Amino acid sequence: MKCQVKEGQLVREATDVLVVGVYEDESTLSKAHQSLDQALGGQLRELRNNGEFSGKNQQSALIHTRKALPAKRVLLLGLGKKDEVTLDRVRQAMGTAFKKIRQTGAQSFSAPVFGTDTLKAPAADIAQAMVEGAILGGYRFTHYRSDDEEPSKDVRAMTLLANRSNQVSGLKTGVRRGEASANATWFARDLCNHPANVMTPSRVVQEAQKIAKDFSVNVTVLDRKDQQKLGMGGMLGVARGSQEPSKFIVLEYSGAKKKDRPVVLVGKTITFDSGGISLKPSENMEQMKADMTGGAEVLGAVRAAAQLRLPINVVGILPATENMPGGRATKPGDILRMLNGKTVEVQNTDAEGRLVLADGLAYAARFNPQCIVDIATLTGACIVALGQFAIGMLGNDDALKSGMKKAGEQAGERVWEMPLWEEYFEQLKSDVADMRNIGGRGGGMITAGTFLSKFVGDCPWVHLDIASTDWSASERPYINKGPTAIGTRLLVQWLINRSGK
C-alpha cells in the first residue's frame, strides 16, 4: 500500500473513503466536523443524537455521501474518551478502519492526523502509529491458499491530511518510519507463518542474503565446519539430531562511521522445536514453526534500519537450526562446551534456545559493541508470569532497560522487567559442569535470563522473552491470529531512538 501526505481539508478531499476520528466525550462537533456535518445534511449529529454512534473506542459507522462530498464514503471511527487516547489506541483505530475499508472494496482512503489536540506526542509519531496500524491491520498470509482473493481488490493508497503546509515534512518523516516498521513486521510474520519444511535454516540464509542485496548490508554465514572450528558447542549440540544443516548468520549494517561501535541484536532462530529427546507434547506443536520469531525480528529490524538509513551501526546475529530427536541427538546428561569456554550440563533438551543464544551472545561480544540485545521465544514460564500482553525483560544496565521501556511504550509493544539477581544462579548449579541448562519450576523466565547473563561479560545487555506475545489465538485490530512478530517494532523504535534520528 502506498502511503502519502498532503495538505488538505475534509470537505474537499476526493477519495474512496474519508476516515474521521470522533471522541466519545465530545459534546460539540469540531469546526472541521461541523463543515462535514453540514455537507452531509446533519448525518453526523443525527448518528450521535440517536445513540447509533457514540464514539466509543473502535466503534465505527459508514456513511455513503451520495455525491454530497468529493469523498464517496465517510467512515466514523470511535477513539474513546479524549484523556484515554494513546499512540497505541490510534494504531488500533487504524487497524480497525483498514479492515472496514477493505470490506467495502475501496482502493484508497484519506484521514486527518488523529489526536493532535490530546496526545503529548509529535505529529510525526502519531503519523507513524497511524501508518503502522493501517498496514498491519491489512496483514494476510495466503501463500498456500488456492482460493485467495485477487490482489487487485486490496486497498492500494492511504493519504494523511495535514492542516497546514508546515506540517507536511514532519508527517512524511512519520510515514517513512511507519512504513519501514510495519513492513519489517510483515516480513517477520511471513517468515514465521511459512511451515518448517519450507523455512529451514538454509532458507533463512536466503532471506538474509536478499536483505543484504536489497539494502547494502553485509552478511556472513558460518556453517557446521566453521562452528566446529570456533567451538560453538551450544549450536552444534542442538543441531545434532536434525538432518537440516545449522547456519550461524551475521548481518552488518553500517550507517555510522566505521570507528563507531555497533549495537548487536541476537535472535533465537529455531526453525522448528520438537523439544529434541525431551519431546514436547503433540498438542499445539505445529506452533513451534514460530520458534524462530526472535531471529525473524532481528532480520526485520536490520532491514528497517537500512531502509531508514539510520546513522547507527547494527549487527544482527541469528543462530539458526532445528531441534529434533534422532540417533545422534544430544541427550539429557550430555555436557557441551560453549564458545566462551564454559561447560553446560544439558538436563532438558527442550531448553535449547538458551544454548544457541549463549554462543550467539559470546560471538556478539567479539564486536566490542555498545550494547547487546537478545530476543527469543525462550520460556513457557514467561507466558505463565505475564500472559499475552507484555514482553519479559531482564538486563544488567539501567539506561539500556529504560530506553527499551520507552521504545515499548511508543511502539505499543510493552516490556515488563523481571529481577536479575545472582541468587537465582543457585538453581543452575551443576555437580559435573559449570552450570546446567534448567533451574527447576520456580522462576523459570528469570533463571533462563540468568543463564544467558553468563555469556555477555561486562557488556550492557538486555534480554527480551517474547514467548508470551509471539502467537495470538485470536485476531485483534492490528494483530493477526497466529504469529504476531510482536517485538519487531520494539526493536525498530529502539534503534530509531538510539540513533537520534
Side-chain angles (χ1 to χ4, degrees), residues 156-291:
R156 293 184 174 182
M158 169 184 180
T159 301
L160 287 184
L161 301 175
N163 291 328
R164 303 180 303 275
S165 59
N166 61 3
Q167 288 183 327
V168 172
S169 178
L171 294 180
K172 284 183 176 180
T173 296
V175 167
R176 285 194 298 270
R177 293 198 313 236
E179 286 181 309
S181 179
N183 289 336
T185 304
W186 264 69
F187 172 80
R189 285 178 181 176
D190 278 354
L191 263 59
C192 296
N193 263 308
H194 280 295
N197 63 321
V198 173
M199 194 53 61
T200 62
S202 297
R203 172 64 182 272
V204 178
V205 169
Q206 293 175 16
E207 297 293 340
Q209 289 171 335
K210 189 175 188 303
I211 290 173
K213 180 180 178 181
D214 293 346
F215 297 99
S216 299
V217 173
N218 293 326
V219 63
T220 303
V221 181
L222 306 180
D223 60 19
R224 179 182 173 84
K225 289 184 179 179
D226 298 317
Q227 296 162 30
Q228 288 174 328
K229 185 177 180 179
L230 289 170
M232 292 182 169
M235 275 290 293
L236 295 165
V238 174
R240 281 181 61 87
S242 176
Q243 295 296 314
E244 290 288 343
S246 61
K247 304 290 182 180
F248 192 91
I249 307 165
V250 183
L251 296 99
E252 297 177 68
Y253 162 69
S254 300
K257 295 178 181 178
K258 191 173 183 179
K259 66 178 182 179
D260 290 353
R261 297 160 62 199
V263 299
V264 182
L265 308 177
V266 184
K268 175 185 172 184
T269 318
I270 303 296
T271 57
F272 190 80
D273 182 17
S274 70
I277 296 296
S278 306
L279 195 66
K280 289 178 180 291
S282 60
E283 185 178 5
N284 296 328
M285 194 192 284
E286 75 281 355
Q287 295 179 12
M288 289 301 100
K289 68 180 183 178
D291 210 25

Side-chain angles (χ1 to χ4, degrees), residues 106-183:
Q107 295 194 350
S108 68
F109 70 97
S110 300
V113 181
F114 297 156
T116 53
D117 54 342
T118 57
L119 278 170
K120 295 179 180 179
D125 289 359
I126 303 173
Q128 178 182 341
M130 291 181 70
V131 170
E132 288 172 346
I135 292 176
L136 294 177
Y139 179 79
R140 292 182 296 182
F141 184 78
T142 58
H143 189 81
Y144 301 97
R145 294 286 299 270
S146 59
D147 59 347
D148 183 29
E149 297 178 12
E150 295 179 23
S152 60
K153 294 182 179 180
D154 218 339
V155 184
R156 293 184 174 182
M158 169 184 180
T159 301
L160 287 184
L161 301 175
N163 291 328
R164 303 180 303 275
S165 59
N166 61 3
Q167 288 183 327
V168 172
S169 178
L171 294 180
K172 284 183 176 180
T173 296
V175 167
R176 285 194 298 270
R177 293 198 313 236
E179 286 181 309
S181 179
N183 289 336

